[in-house]
Amino acid sequence: MSSQTQTPTEMPRLGADTAIQIRKMNKWYGNFHVLRDIDLNVAVGERIVIAGPSGSGKSTLIRCINRLEEHQSGQIIVDDIELTNDIKDIDKVRSEVGMVFQHFNLFPHLTVLENCTLAPIWVRKMPKAQAEETAMRFLEKVRIPEQAQKYPGQLSGGQQQRVAIARSLCMEPRIMLFDEPTSALDPEMIKEVLDTMIELADTGMTMLVVTHEMGFAQAVADRVIFMDQGQIVEQNTPTEFFNNPQSDRTKLFLSQILGH
Amino acid sequence: MSTQTLSPAYVRSDMLPAAAPPHRQEGAISWLRDNLFSGWFNSLLTLLGLAIIWSLVSHFWPWFAHSVWNANSLAECRQIIAEKWGDGANGACFAVIRVRWHQYIFGFYPRAEYWRPILTMGLLFVAIAPVLFSVNASIRRWVLAGAGLLCMVLLAVTASPDWSVVLVWLLFAAALLLAEYAPGRLLIVTVFYPVLAVWLLWGGSPWYPFMLLMGFAVGYGVSALVPRGMSAATGIVVTVLWWVFRAAPVAGLVTQILPLSLPAIQSSVFGGFLLSVVIGVSAIALSLPLGILLALARQSNMFIIYSLAVVFIEFIRGVPLITLLFVALVLLKYFLPPGTNFDLILRVIIMVTLFAAAYMAEVIRGGLAALPRGQYEAADSLGLNYWQAQRLIILPQALKISIPGIVGTFIGVFKDTTLVGLINLYDPLKGISDVVRSEFAWKGIYWEPFIFTGTIFFVICFSMSRYSMYLERRLSREHR
């Protein structure tokens, strides 16, 4: 196995419109070095799929971007704000970065509509009527406006995940993070969530998606990043990544997930 | 249908319609067989249980059946029982309750002023109805009507002045109307209830407690003027400053302009259920917010706050309540500046509140721990700050999980108020009973007062328990 990291043949152009910049970022859980020297630039509007075996640190990486996890060295700059211990900066970044979780994490004591209006009302100080209007607009986009008055527990997994996407979008974020959004779903519900994500990608949203759905990566991603053992092993355009993988690890990974 | 074939290939041609479930055997006989006599061992247990119930009832029933309600002393009771049921017959002497019930309820509160505690109790229901029964209008209506009726009955049996009856009529009519058409407005009563209750019970001028309450408004007003970072701290400081330096003079000033005064009542005359309920309700109302803050502090990442919470909780839980009550009685004086002599009931309320809050904190911490991490993460990822996340996401769910434990603590606190009998206050269980027994006529009477106070305690505690079940049902229906 070679440990070389291939330089991608074609990198997106960076500059003033950089959404996220990560420099030499390291993170440890106790003595365990989870993320090692991560360097990553994400352009505005770019759609990135992060793949890799479990335990490779891909979820931890995107959770560092909105500071659900703290990094110990290096820099993360999101939307010109560097993530430090300043709580105000963290809350500011979080209100600009939406996140969708593997297990949805909807608020079970609130209706679907209340789930969607909560953050706009309390964080954005939006009037209630306007927040509800926005929420209904996004619920229509994810095609479940008729469920607005129900509680999350009454919905199917796929519906819950679409509500979770709508809830994030109601904050009108500039960046969306997806942490294995379809991994907890029954196979027949994966498609409805992926379709929603594809529609979102078509609107030009900056997206970082941790997923095992390689079909989605091929259809939507501008760039695929492959991670293993806490480091970025290879990144490339989807076409190149799937047809012409360079590193042995990538080849092994692809053969394992595509070869059955 | 093609199920007859042996080949593995099979295609269903018609889908089965839903069918009704098989009939269950119903009726008394089948219920008895299923629940009491299913097998020889269970039949044996059933018979044994019946025998125990029978022996209990057969022992106690004559005592109840022979009870005397009209007598003026224990000796007279015994004489009546002996005459009626023969020598050696056993019987209860509930006459003591008929003669002295008012002391079990009001302690030594002056008789002419009984309408004040009665009205305070009635207003308590008006104050809590919009909070506890915010959703269900019909339950709210029944609770208010029931409280009004109870007030009327109590006013009637205590021969209270007619105008107090009219006053209660008017108040409850207004409360019922408000509850019907603008339940939100009833919250005004809730906010001012503490001041109202203190004024009605202790008398004097209402303005000092009112100015204490105003301290919160002043603190809030000032904190709104100050830039965000410092606002909470400024608000607290201003509130405390107002309490210490401004509340008394302003109250004095207002008293001169608007002298609304009731005859002052000393704390030493408080007793019976009046005392228990005053201590119990105050401690319950104060310990919940304090317990929530302690539970959050114990989950905090901030070392000092976390340590203070742990030390406080473990210290209070490691000490019996009676020790704290003795501290309230004796020791607290040594720690306070000389000359300060604040009310014993207030000191007891503070100690019972601290005691209850420590237990409450642990109950609520259990609820907080039961929430999945994802809830915290989702709240964080939406940009909610700490207090917003706690108030809107975490606490509503954690408190819902903790309802049985919280209400259990409430019930425990209310029953623990009888311990004040040990520091020379007249609790309904021991204090008042001792007073009653110290009169020669009732010397040696034990069971009847216990049964009376026990029944009232049971009614109150059972109501709390039922309320908690109602709340759990309501919330689980809402949230699914």
Side-chain angles (χ1 to χ4, degrees):
Chain A
M1 248 199 248
S2 76
S3 60
Q4 60 178 338
T5 305
Q6 291 290 328
T7 323
T9 47
E10 191 188 334
M11 280 289 288
R13 193 149 300 284
L14 299 174
D17 41 29
T18 307
I20 303 169
Q21 196 170 28
I22 300 176
R23 273 194 231 130
K24 286 246 172 260
M25 190 261 279
N26 282 279
K27 174 168 179 62
W28 289 263
Y29 284 131
N31 285 326
F32 178 56
H33 200 171
V34 218
L35 292 176
R36 307 177 190 177
D37 274 351
I38 301 288
D39 278 304
L40 179 66
N41 282 310
V42 181
V44 171
E46 200 180 3
R47 285 141 329 191
I48 294 180
V49 164
I50 304 173
S54 75
S56 58
K58 49 197 194 309
S59 285
T60 311
L61 172 61
I62 67 164
R63 288 161 60 87
C64 280
I65 293 172
N66 66 352
R67 194 83 169 184
L68 288 182
E69 306 281 354
E70 200 176 320
H71 61 281
Q72 277 109 19
S73 75
Q75 263 186 323
I76 302 177
I77 300 165
V78 182
D79 228 9
D80 288 335
I81 301 168
E82 186 180 353
L83 284 169
T84 57
N85 283 323
D86 187 330
I87 294 174
K88 287 217 176 100
D89 278 354
I90 293 172
D91 281 341
K92 190 134 183 279
V93 166
R94 282 172 176 167
S95 66
E96 298 299 335
V97 178
M99 183 150 196
V100 176
F101 299 88
Q102 182 177 0
H103 295 287
F104 330 135
N105 296 350
L106 292 175
F107 305 129
H109 62 302
L110 302 176
T111 62
V112 164
L113 188 64
E114 288 165 344
N115 263 278
C116 293
T117 55
L118 185 101
I121 289 175
W122 290 94
V123 180
R124 293 257 189 267
K125 312 286 177 207
M126 198 185 272
K128 190 168 177 235
Q130 194 190 337
E132 281 178 354
E133 200 180 298
T134 316
M136 285 314 291
R137 200 172 80 229
F138 284 110
L139 286 174
E140 263 156 41
K141 265 200 182 143
V142 301
R143 287 188 297 276
I144 34 175
E146 71 282 359
Q147 313 284 3
Q149 297 306 329
K150 287 194 181 168
Y151 286 92
Q154 296 164 283
L155 306 184
S156 74
Q159 290 173 322
Q160 289 193 43
Q161 193 61 298
R162 284 185 282 149
V163 172
I165 293 171
R167 177 177 70 177
S168 288
L169 292 177
C170 283
M171 286 293 282
E172 310 206 8
R174 306 204 194 168
I175 301 163
M176 284 286 286
L177 308 174
F178 293 82
D179 188 2
E180 305 205 23
T182 55
S183 300
L185 295 175
D186 290 337
E188 64 206 84
M189 294 171 182
I190 291 178
K191 189 176 178 298
E192 63 186 57
V193 171
L194 288 180
D195 285 348
T196 309
M197 289 166 62
I198 291 169
E199 279 168 33
L200 179 62
D202 290 342
T203 65
M205 174 70 75
T206 311
M207 290 165 74
L208 276 87
V209 185
V210 172
T211 185
H212 297 292
E213 295 296 331
M214 291 304 131
F216 174 81
Q218 270 169 323
V220 177
D222 297 318
R223 182 158 43 133
V224 180
I225 292 177
F226 175 68
M227 287 183 70
D228 193 15
Q229 294 178 9
Q231 43 219 306
I232 296 176
V233 174
E234 184 165 348
Q235 47 179 322
N236 213 328
T237 58
T239 328
E240 282 294 303
F241 180 84
F242 289 109
N243 298 331
N244 189 15
Q246 303 292 312
S247 112
D248 291 344
R249 286 167 190 280
T250 317
K251 285 175 192 163
L252 180 68
F253 175 75
L254 287 176
S255 74
Q256 278 165 342
I257 63 163
L258 300 174
H260 54 254
Chain B
M1 298 264 277
S2 53
T3 41
Q4 309 297 326
T5 173
L6 287 172
S7 87
Y10 163 63
V11 178
R12 182 176 288 283
S13 53
D14 45 353
M15 303 301 276
L16 294 177
H23 282 294
R24 264 182 65 239
Q25 289 223 314
E26 277 167 33
I29 303 285
S30 114
W31 184 89
L32 281 177
R33 197 181 305 134
D34 287 350
N35 292 290
L36 296 178
F37 299 101
S38 59
W40 66 269
F41 184 66
N42 287 346
S43 306
L44 200 70
L45 285 180
T46 302
L47 292 176
L48 193 68
L50 287 175
I52 291 172
I53 293 171
W54 171 247
S55 83
L56 284 175
V57 170
S58 66
H59 273 83
F60 283 104
W61 178 245
W63 190 74
F64 277 106
H66 299 170
S67 60
V68 174
W69 285 85
N70 271 312
N72 289 316
S73 71
L74 186 58
E76 199 182 331
C77 270
R78 287 190 176 140
Q79 197 190 342
I80 294 172
I81 292 164
E83 277 170 13
K84 214 168 174 185
W85 308 96
D87 278 332
N90 231 337
C93 183
F94 286 115
V96 66
I97 305 303
R98 215 180 65 88
V99 178
R100 303 295 283 268
W101 70 273
H102 54 91
Q103 271 189 327
Y104 280 96
I105 305 292
F106 300 104
F108 300 98
Y109 211 85
R111 284 198 160 203
E113 308 289 334
Y114 276 178
W115 64 272
R116 282 158 58 175
I118 295 171
L119 182 59
T120 313
M121 181 206 69
L123 286 174
L124 174 65
F125 284 94
V126 180
I128 62 177
V131 181
L132 298 189
F133 306 102
S134 57
V135 173
N136 193 324
S138 106
I139 296 183
R140 192 165 56 218
R141 198 178 305 140
W142 281 110
V143 166
L144 283 177
L149 198 67
L150 183 62
C151 279
M152 294 300 167
V153 171
L154 282 170
L155 287 175
V157 295
T158 54
S160 294
D162 290 340
W163 57 263
S164 70
V165 180
V166 175
L167 180 66
V168 169
W169 256 112
L170 290 176
L171 278 172
F172 271 91
L176 275 165
L177 277 176
L178 270 179
E180 257 352 88
Y181 298 107
R185 293 285 167 80
L186 276 184
L187 286 170
I188 298 170
V189 181
T190 315
V191 170
F192 289 104
Y193 180 75
V195 171
L196 216 58
V198 167
W199 178 52
L200 279 172
L201 289 177
W202 275 274
S205 155
W207 297 116
Y208 184 62
F210 183 76
M211 286 306 152
L212 290 184
L213 187 70
M214 280 299 108
F216 290 110
V218 172
Y220 181 79
V222 172
S223 75
L225 300 174
V226 175
R228 282 202 53 172
M230 294 295 294
S231 60
T234 320
I236 293 169
V237 170
V238 169
T239 305
V240 173
L241 286 178
W242 171 274
W243 284 343
V244 176
F245 295 110
R246 290 261 58 93
V250 175
L253 204 69
V254 181
T255 309
Q256 281 178 358
I257 303 165
L258 254 181
L260 272 176
S261 202
L262 281 172
I265 309 282
Q266 293 304 310
S267 281
S268 54
V269 304
F270 279 59
F273 278 98
L274 172 58
L275 181 67
S276 274
V277 171
V278 165
I279 297 173
V281 169
S282 317
I284 283 172
L286 295 170
S287 67
L288 184 61
L290 193 57
I292 291 173
L293 288 180
L294 279 171
L296 293 179
R298 198 169 180 168
Q299 295 231 316
S300 169
N301 297 325
M302 288 181 249
F303 178 73
I304 302 279
I305 290 185
Y306 164 82
S307 317
L308 283 177
V310 171
V311 168
F312 177 86
I313 291 169
E314 296 305 334
F315 173 74
I316 297 276
R317 289 206 311 165
V319 172
L321 176 57
I322 191 66
T323 316
L324 297 177
L325 291 179
F326 278 122
V327 169
L329 179 67
V330 188
L331 269 176
L332 218 53
K333 268 189 194 157
Y334 294 109
F335 296 127
L336 292 168
T340 48
N341 181 27
F342 71 104
D343 197 271
L344 179 58
I345 294 183
L346 183 58
R347 281 181 273 164
V348 167
I349 288 175
I350 291 172
M351 283 306 180
V352 176
T353 301
L354 296 182
F355 182 78
Y359 281 86
M360 193 66 68
E362 288 299 279
V363 167
I364 293 167
R365 192 165 67 95
L368 290 172
L371 279 196
R373 246 184 89 72
Q375 291 293 308
Y376 293 88
E377 289 179 352
D380 283 347
S381 75
L382 286 170
L384 295 170
N385 66 34
Y386 176 82
W387 290 109
Q388 289 172 335
Q390 295 300 332
R391 187 159 55 92
L392 301 167
I393 308 299
I394 307 303
L395 284 175
Q397 297 183 64
L399 291 179
K400 181 190 148 196
I401 298 171
S402 326
I403 288 171
I406 291 174
V407 176
T409 310
F410 284 170
I411 290 174
V413 168
F414 181 60
K415 288 188 297 186
D416 281 350
T417 57
T418 51
L419 285 175
V420 300
L422 294 170
I423 55 166
N424 305 333
L425 290 173
Y426 297 102
D427 75 292
L429 203 61
K430 179 177 183 297
I432 293 290
S433 291
D434 282 351
V435 170
V436 168
R437 277 194 294 269
S438 69
E439 190 189 343
F440 184 72
W442 302 112
K443 200 167 165 54
I445 196 154
Y446 281 94
W447 288 103
E448 293 83 351
F450 281 152
I451 289 173
F452 176 66
T453 41
T455 308
I456 295 180
F457 268 115
F458 175 78
V459 168
I460 297 174
C461 294
F462 187 64
S463 310
M464 285 198 250
S465 157
R466 296 302 299 186
Y467 176 74
S468 111
M469 287 159 84
Y470 154 78
L471 195 61
E472 272 177 77
R473 255 199 327 275
R474 192 188 98 193
L475 292 178
S476 72
R477 197 165 51 234
E478 274 181 6
H479 303 165
R480 208 67 51 134

